[in-house]
């Protein structure tokens, strides 16, 4: 209890200082170095990801949320999952190895984030083996390099193809001009966590820009983790010792000049496994996973005669996974310990070409095509100790090509109609067509109504189709894509320059959900076995004061049910509430960011009910303590709330306990370019 009051007293003290600074600012003009953009002007910001051309956010045919670099700093976000947890309708699950996205009541544990498309400056990040991407420290970019994130809710397959199932997230990085010099940072935190990074960016007079960055993070994690399912003397009384460590390295480079942009992305992340997943031996010090991913991307953009926009790109992706597990095996004569290695290696390349034509200054027509070829998809599994034995060694390929067309027409000055479709062709299962239709109407200058309808699909990945180890899982090359139909109504209302109220209601239906089932021979196999129906709504209130006070309050309610069981889905909270409040502190040229997030009760896979929980995070940003020196201090789970996330089928545990209170201190120093 003393610890709680110690943290709380420290937090309240700094918040009081910031509040006093705010009162001073009301009586006098705010410093010029604080950029204060009214919400009405923020609505006019152009987004790209909803239609593949730049348009005002209020005119885009989707429900959109933008996260800025300032938001990331103000609320002390350390990884992408924490950012997404602040977005209405989104939530994440952590099994102490990987983190998973939940959207609109659908949070399949262990799916490796295959039902949301992640882009980096428009480059597809979903890899070629599992079809997913990391959202923790295995995300392939240091989030300090993010300029903004465009989060487009709803189906996006009519433009992007597979994975754009529940939404599309486009991470847009800073450019050379944003840094204009060198920057270094160092941070430390709970559980012997240390991180540091350096970056350099510059913009030249001839228009060339470059940005280079590298960072590394290392954490010992919690030294002792207790799991009641293993509470026997033979399994160390349920205590996993020194099995929560994690390390990650990121490298990023971006060079642009005239019409060409080249970028390189690299991430390598290793994580110890404390949960004894997949039936492995508990408290095995060697149990770990390592994921390495890298991308090389070259993009060409050009505008012809002001009305023609051409975008073309080509890219190469490389993904490697290594899992190390220990198993206690038995024969008729003896028992022994086996060291097992599980590997995946994916190599793929792709490209796309897009043409956008502006007609009469207000109509837009977009056509394009893109393709991918997974030319080396290898999965293998073997025991190395006490003797070598191979369970799996398979090499596959896949190829797909998609073509799309979309038109946006201004029927009247305040009425936009958009329609489009895309057809994808796979060498594995055949073809799929995804349509989309929307109406955007502004009856009043500050009021926008949107009616949205669309189809999306997720293609079965190589792991689901071809992984077969001979003793627990077998292949299903006849898997078909799972499909979703979504209808949504959105209303956005602005009040003056400082307040915004937005609401939406949606219905979606999923057909042919890919689910792991048990066959008659006792082996696990992926099948298109279930259908899902969901209804939901969300309300969002935003306020932005001219003196720097920023607030965001969101409430979402949803219910997703399985048609086969008529029961609510596991890991599907009915209620989610998110509050973000930033109070400027002009005395320190910074402020205090307060984030509160309530997640309602969820069911585990075996039907156990996990109680809801409220988490509170507080971040203090102090700028200019010395020239070009910033300090950020964050306290996470301030009141040390004890809570758990549902576990996936690979775990003995039905739920996995999450971290309690932790802290982080970060120092950043910038050197201006000459």
């Amino acid at each position: 209890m003393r610890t709680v009051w110690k943290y709380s007293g420290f937090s309240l003290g700094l918040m009081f200082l910031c509040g006093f600074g705010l009162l001073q600012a009301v009586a006098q003009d705010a410093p010029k170095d604080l950029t204060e953009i009214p919400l009405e002007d923020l609505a006019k910001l152009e987004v790209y990801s909803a239609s593949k051309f730049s348009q005002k956010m209020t005119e885009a045919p989707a429900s959109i949320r933008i996260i800025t670099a300032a938001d990331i700093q103000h609320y002390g976000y350390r990884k992408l999952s924490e950012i997404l947890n602040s977005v209405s309708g989104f939530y994440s699950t952590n099994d102490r190895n990987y983190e998973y996205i939940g959207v609109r009541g659908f949070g399949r544990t262990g799916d490796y984030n295959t039902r949301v498309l992640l882009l980096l400056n428009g480059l597809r990040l979903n890899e070629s083996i599992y079809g997913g991407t990391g959202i923790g420290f295995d995300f392939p970019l240091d989030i300090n390099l993010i300029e903004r994130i465009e989060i487009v809710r709803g189906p996006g397959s009519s433009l992007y193809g597979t994975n754009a199932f529940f939404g599309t997230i486009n991470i847009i990085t800073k450019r050379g001009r944003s840094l204009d010099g060198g920057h270094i940072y160092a941070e430390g935190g709970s559980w012997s966590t240390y991180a540091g990074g350096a970056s350099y960016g510059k913009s030249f007079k001839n228009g060339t820009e470059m940005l280079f960055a590298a960072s590394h993070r290392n954490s010992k994690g919690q030294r002792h983790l207790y799991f009641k399912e293993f509470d026997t003397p033979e399994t160390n009384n349920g205590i996993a010792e020194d099995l929560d460590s994690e390390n990650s390295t990121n490298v990023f480079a971006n060079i642009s000049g005239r019409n060409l942009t080249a970028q390189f992305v690299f991430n390598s992340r290793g994580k110890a496994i404390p949960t004894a997943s997949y039936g492995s031996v508990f408290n095995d010090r060697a149990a770990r996973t390592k994921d390495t991913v890298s991308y090389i991307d070259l993009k060409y953009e050009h505008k012809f005669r002001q009305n023609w926009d051409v975008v073309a790109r080509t890219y190469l992706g490389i993904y490697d996974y290594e899992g190390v597990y220990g198993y206690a095996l038995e024969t008729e004569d003896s028992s022994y310990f086996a060291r097992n290695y599980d590997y995946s290696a994916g190599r793929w390349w792709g490209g796309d070409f897009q043409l956008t034509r502006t007609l009469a200054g207000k109509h837009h027509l977009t056509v394009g095509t893109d393709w991918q070829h997974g030319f080396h998809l290898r999965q293998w599994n073997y025991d190395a100790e006490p003797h070598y034995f191979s369970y799996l060694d398979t090499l596959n390929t896949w190829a797909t090509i998609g073509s799309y067309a979309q038109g946006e027409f201004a029927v009247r000055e305040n009425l936009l109609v958009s329609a489009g479709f895309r057809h994808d062709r796979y060498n594995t299962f055949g073809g799929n067509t995804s349509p989309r239709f929307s109406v955007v109407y502004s009856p009043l200058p500050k009021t926008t109504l949107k009616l949205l309808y669309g189809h999306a699909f997720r293609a079965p990945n190589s792991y689901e189709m071809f992984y077969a180890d001979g003793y627990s899982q077998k292949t299903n090359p006849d898997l078909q894509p799972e499909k979703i139909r979504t209808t949504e109504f959105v209303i956005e209302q602005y009040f003056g320059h400082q307040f915004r109220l937005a609401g939406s209601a949606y219905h979606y239906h999923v057909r042919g959900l890919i689910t792991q089932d048990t066959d008659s021979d006792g082996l696990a196999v992926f099948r298109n076995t279930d259908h899902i129906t969901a209804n939901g709504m969300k309300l969002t209130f935003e306020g932005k004061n001219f003196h720097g006070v920023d607030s965001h309050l969101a409430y979402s309610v949803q219910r997703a049910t399985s048609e086969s069981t008529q029961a609510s889905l596991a890991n599907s909270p009915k209620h989610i509430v998110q509050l973000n409040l930033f109070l400027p502190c002009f005395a320190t040229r910074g402020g205090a960011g307060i984030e509160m997030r309530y997640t309602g009760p969820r069911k585990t896979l075996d039907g156990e009910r996990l109680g809801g929980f409220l988490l509170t995070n507080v971040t203090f940003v102090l700028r200019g303590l010395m020239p070009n020196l910033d300090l950020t201090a964050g306290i996470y789970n301030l009141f040390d709330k004890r809570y758990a996330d549902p576990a996936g089928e690979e775990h003995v545990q039905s739920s996995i306990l999450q971290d309690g209170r932790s802290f982080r201190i970060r120092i950043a120093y910038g050197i201006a370019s000459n």
Side-chain angles (χ1 to χ4, degrees):
M1 183 62 71
R2 289 183 179 179
T3 305
V4 171
W5 283 110
K6 178 177 71 173
Y7 279 103
S8 302
F10 173 72
S11 304
L12 292 172
L14 281 180
M15 289 166 59
F16 176 80
L17 174 63
C18 293
F20 180 74
L22 175 60
L23 292 176
Q24 288 183 315
V26 172
Q28 54 187 311
D29 292 335
K32 294 181 180 180
D33 60 346
L34 283 178
T35 303
E36 297 157 353
I37 304 176
L39 274 176
E40 189 177 35
D41 292 342
L42 285 174
K44 298 176 183 177
L45 287 177
E46 293 190 337
V47 296
Y48 179 86
S49 310
S51 299
K52 282 198 171 183
F53 64 83
S54 296
Q55 60 187 155
K56 294 179 183 178
M57 188 168 69
T58 53
E59 297 178 352
S63 172
I64 298 174
R65 173 78 190 279
I66 294 180
I67 304 292
T68 66
D71 294 327
I72 294 172
Q73 184 184 40
H74 289 168
Y75 300 109
Y77 298 134
R78 299 161 293 181
K79 48 188 176 179
L80 183 60
S81 61
E82 293 177 342
I83 297 174
L84 297 178
N85 279 330
S86 71
V87 179
S88 59
F90 281 70
Y91 58 101
S92 67
T93 303
N94 188 336
D95 66 3
R96 307 205 76 91
N97 189 6
Y98 296 104
E99 297 186 62
Y100 311 99
I101 300 174
V103 187
R104 293 183 166 180
F106 189 99
R108 180 67 62 90
T109 55
D111 79 336
Y112 304 111
N113 307 314
T114 63
R115 295 175 179 88
V116 173
L117 176 64
L118 269 83
L119 307 172
L120 182 65
N121 295 322
L123 170 68
R124 173 184 285 267
L125 294 182
N126 297 62
E127 42 78 18
S128 63
I129 297 289
Y130 304 97
T133 185
I135 61 170
F137 293 109
D138 50 350
F139 178 67
L141 182 77
D142 185 332
I143 67 168
N144 297 294
L145 299 175
I146 295 175
E147 181 68 30
R148 74 178 188 276
I149 303 176
E150 297 178 0
I151 300 170
V152 183
R153 302 177 180 89
S157 290
S158 64
L159 287 173
Y160 296 101
T162 186
N163 300 118
F165 203 74
F166 287 111
T168 302
I169 301 171
N170 190 13
I171 293 94
I172 299 166
T173 63
K174 297 177 180 178
R175 302 179 64 179
R177 72 186 78 166
S178 306
L179 272 65
D180 192 28
H183 291 254
I184 58 174
Y185 76 87
E187 64 181 54
S190 300
W191 307 304
S192 299
T193 301
Y194 302 98
S199 57
Y200 178 80
K202 187 172 178 60
S203 178
F204 299 92
K205 293 181 179 179
N206 64 0
T208 301
E209 291 188 74
M210 65 178 186
L211 189 154
F212 301 97
S215 61
H216 180 76
R217 178 184 182 274
N218 189 77
S219 176
K220 290 185 178 179
Q222 298 207 39
R223 305 299 298 272
H224 300 87
L225 288 169
Y226 172 73
F227 300 97
K228 67 180 187 305
E229 293 80 2
F230 297 96
D231 192 355
T232 66
E234 295 77 17
T235 52
N236 202 36
N237 298 311
I239 299 174
E241 298 184 276
D242 296 320
L243 276 170
D244 196 34
S245 62
E246 183 177 30
N247 64 82
S248 61
T249 300
N250 291 288
V251 178
F252 177 75
N254 186 291
I255 303 175
S256 63
R258 297 199 178 189
N259 301 317
L260 287 175
T261 301
Q263 68 177 348
F264 171 76
V265 191
F266 170 84
N267 171 271
S268 181
R269 178 257 196 181
K271 179 68 175 67
I273 308 174
T275 56
S277 55
Y278 297 102
S280 58
V281 171
F282 183 76
N283 198 35
D284 176 12
R285 298 294 183 89
R288 69 180 189 276
T289 58
K290 182 178 181 180
D291 297 84
T292 303
V293 64
S294 55
Y295 305 87
I296 301 173
D297 175 40
L298 181 64
K299 182 175 69 171
Y300 171 82
E301 295 179 277
H302 188 67
K303 181 183 289 290
F304 294 94
R305 298 182 181 179
Q306 299 182 349
N307 293 326
W308 293 86
D309 292 300
V310 173
V311 178
R313 79 187 320 144
T314 184
Y315 55 88
L316 173 70
I318 299 173
Y319 171 73
D320 290 297
Y321 159 80
E322 176 190 47
V324 181
Y325 303 90
Y327 290 94
L329 303 180
E330 295 184 0
T331 65
E332 294 181 357
D333 301 324
S334 64
S335 60
Y336 62 95
F337 177 86
R339 176 63 64 202
N340 180 264
Y341 291 84
D342 191 43
Y343 286 99
S344 296
R347 308 289 186 266
W348 70 99
W349 77 281
D352 59 72
F353 178 84
Q354 175 186 312
L355 179 65
T356 300
R357 168 74 161 145
T358 303
L359 306 171
K362 56 182 179 180
H363 311 295
H364 296 87
L365 178 64
T366 301
V367 295
T369 184
D370 59 50
W371 59 94
Q372 278 191 303
H373 180 207
F375 58 87
H376 180 92
L377 308 174
R378 187 183 180 193
Q379 301 176 79
W380 70 107
N381 183 289
Y382 63 89
D383 287 343
E385 302 172 11
H387 53 79
Y388 179 84
F389 183 85
S390 176
Y391 298 98
L392 165 73
D393 192 348
T394 180
L395 183 64
N396 294 265
T397 65
W398 58 260
T400 177
I401 184 169
S403 299
Y404 57 90
Q406 175 179 281
E408 181 184 274
F409 307 97
V411 179
R412 298 174 55 184
E413 185 177 348
N414 62 345
L415 178 61
L416 296 175
V417 176
S418 176
F421 73 95
R422 173 183 171 119
H423 184 76
D424 289 271
R425 191 76 187 175
Y426 282 75
N427 68 332
T428 51
F429 62 81
N432 183 83
T433 301
S434 306
R436 180 171 77 167
F437 176 78
S438 69
V439 178
V440 179
Y441 177 53
S442 297
L444 299 171
K446 296 179 184 286
T447 305
T448 301
L449 307 176
K450 300 181 181 182
L451 179 62
L452 314 171
Y453 176 80
H455 289 209
F457 76 102
R458 182 182 76 87
N461 56 56
S462 293
Y463 172 72
E464 293 166 335
M465 297 180 74
F466 302 119
Y467 191 94
D469 54 20
Y471 67 94
S472 66
Q473 186 171 324
K474 65 180 184 179
T475 65
N476 184 2
D478 297 324
L479 268 180
Q480 296 296 304
E482 53 190 26
K483 301 179 182 181
I484 186 172
R485 298 193 312 267
T486 302
T487 304
E488 183 173 5
F489 176 74
V490 180
I491 180 170
E492 300 176 356
Q493 177 67 55
Y494 290 83
F495 301 92
H497 299 285
Q498 301 180 22
F499 302 104
R500 172 181 178 263
L501 182 65
S504 70
Y506 62 83
H507 168 83
Y508 68 76
H509 179 70
V510 178
R511 292 183 294 121
L513 183 70
I514 298 175
T515 304
Q516 195 172 49
D517 197 5
T518 301
D519 206 354
S520 58
D521 56 8
L523 296 180
V525 61
F526 285 97
R527 291 196 178 104
N528 302 97
T529 59
D530 203 0
H531 306 307
I532 304 297
T533 300
N535 297 289
M537 61 174 292
K538 70 175 183 68
L539 292 172
T540 302
F541 172 80
E542 293 179 273
K544 197 170 183 67
N545 186 279
F546 285 106
H547 300 290
V549 178
D550 197 355
S551 60
H552 183 92
L553 175 63
Y555 167 69
S556 58
V557 56
Q558 53 273 315
R559 176 173 167 79
T561 59
S562 164
E563 291 189 3
S564 62
T565 64
Q566 296 300 309
S568 297
L569 301 183
N571 192 31
S572 179
K574 186 176 181 180
H575 303 281
I576 301 176
V577 183
Q578 295 133 321
L579 170 66
N580 289 70
L581 177 64
F582 181 76
L583 301 174
C585 181
F586 298 119
T588 61
R589 298 175 58 209
I594 305 165
E595 180 183 31
M596 303 180 73
R597 174 168 53 91
Y598 171 77
T599 303
R602 294 170 292 172
K603 291 194 308 183
T604 64
L605 290 176
D606 61 4
E608 177 188 355
R609 185 177 184 272
L610 301 179
F613 58 90
L614 174 65
L615 299 182
T616 303
N617 304 325
V618 180
T619 300
F620 303 100
V621 182
L622 307 177
R623 300 190 184 97
L625 295 177
M626 294 175 57
N628 303 316
L629 183 67
D630 295 341
L631 173 66
T632 304
I635 305 173
Y636 305 89
N637 195 357
L638 175 65
F639 299 105
D640 202 23
K641 175 65 178 178
R642 183 182 176 88
Y643 70 103
D645 282 343
E649 294 179 347
E650 68 273 23
H651 297 282
V652 173
Q653 305 92 327
S654 62
S655 62
I656 296 176
L657 190 67
Q658 300 300 300
D659 290 335
R661 185 189 303 110
S662 64
F663 74 92
R664 179 188 69 152
I665 298 177
R666 182 177 186 271
I667 299 175
Y669 181 71
I671 305 172
S673 177
N674 294 325

